[in-house]
Amino acid sequence: MNRLWCLFFSVAAILAVVFFYIGPSMGWWFPGVAASPLGQQIDDLFYLILAITGVTFIGVHLVLGYILWKFGEVPGKKSLYQHGSHTLEVVWSIVPAGILLFIALYQMDVWAAYRMKSRFDQDAMANPVAEVTARQFEWRIRYPAPGKVLQDTPQADDLYTVNDLHTPAGKPVVIKLRSEDVLHSFFLPHLRVKQDAVPGLVIPVWFHANEPKVYDLVCAELCGWGHYKMRGQLTAQSQVDFDAYMQKLQQSQNDDGYREAAAE
Ligand SMILES: [Cu+2]
């Protein structure tokens, strides 16, 4: 039995090497390469923490396996109890505390860039591209009419889409996030952007898509029975294409009276 557990812990350590250290090069951990400048830094932080926890995990399992092998039950042999080691306890408290402190300090720049510096991006903050309202189970998107600035309350000439967010690529943009009912989470996995949508709050979300492309937009908060189908897409496009899209949207909504229906 001891040998079985010894094998179990050793195999876990070997599997961990495969998943933790070969996985990243096989692209198992993230959906593709980060598609935003900050996303790359977030990935680097993730891999650093994975390396630290991975080494610890593998070390602990190898030691466990070895101890079970070496000191497993022997018929007739008595256990030996001792009070413990004060020095060891101090060491295994201080080392993890030191590692946590290092991570806390090391990640501060990325956290500040994501949460704080973005708030001072005057240009993007003054001109939010759209208001995104999460509700069970869809993303409602409200754009200002071309040439106008997004207002806090809906305007007569606003433009609407559902589950289909367009933004310019290659520069920082801001959307205003709200929720109409319960907690949702606005998640752009390729851009490494995730922000809770909280009823009663309007939260600016700042992101920067590197290149024109279509990305997934999903809800990352279990928000009800239809959570699984609460998905849309983000189309990041060149400024010229974005402007053309807005013109087309305005035209189509003028034509079919869609705006009144969508605004309800
Ligand atoms: Cu949701």
Side-chain angles (χ1 to χ4, degrees), residues 184 219 221 223 227 230:
H184 299 271
C219 179
E221 184 91 48
C223 57
H227 165 67
M230 190 166 166

Side-chain angles (χ1 to χ4, degrees), residues 171-230:
K171 66 173 195 178
V173 296
V174 166
I175 58 116
K176 296 222 161 163
L177 182 64
R178 325 173 70 115
S179 169
E180 204 175 285
D181 37 42
V182 298
L183 279 180
H184 299 271
S185 181
F186 177 87
F187 185 26
L188 300 169
H190 298 90
L191 274 67
R192 318 293 193 245
V193 167
K194 194 187 269 178
Q195 171 62 55
D196 274 4
V198 183
L201 291 184
V202 182
I203 302 173
V205 183
W206 177 92
F207 56 87
H208 178 160
N210 280 341
E211 50 182 287
K213 213 171 163 185
V214 178
Y215 302 101
D216 292 338
L217 161 60
V218 292
C219 179
E221 184 91 48
L222 185 56
C223 57
W225 67 270
H227 165 67
Y228 71 95
K229 62 176 185 174
M230 190 166 166

Side-chain angles (χ1 to χ4, degrees), residues 118-195:
S118 56
R119 302 288 157 98
F120 300 108
D121 186 339
Q122 302 288 355
D123 194 34
M125 286 300 277
N127 296 290
V129 175
E131 178 191 76
V132 177
T133 304
R135 68 177 208 178
Q136 290 169 320
F137 298 98
E138 62 188 10
W139 304 97
R140 294 226 145 194
I141 296 145
R142 178 170 69 91
Y143 300 96
K148 299 265 183 79
V149 174
L150 185 78
Q151 302 296 317
D152 292 342
T153 51
Q155 305 295 301
D157 55 356
D158 282 344
L159 305 171
Y160 294 88
T161 59
V162 177
N163 293 337
D164 184 22
L165 175 62
H166 285 241
T167 65
K171 66 173 195 178
V173 296
V174 166
I175 58 116
K176 296 222 161 163
L177 182 64
R178 325 173 70 115
S179 169
E180 204 175 285
D181 37 42
V182 298
L183 279 180
H184 299 271
S185 181
F186 177 87
F187 185 26
L188 300 169
H190 298 90
L191 274 67
R192 318 293 193 245
V193 167
K194 194 187 269 178
Q195 171 62 55

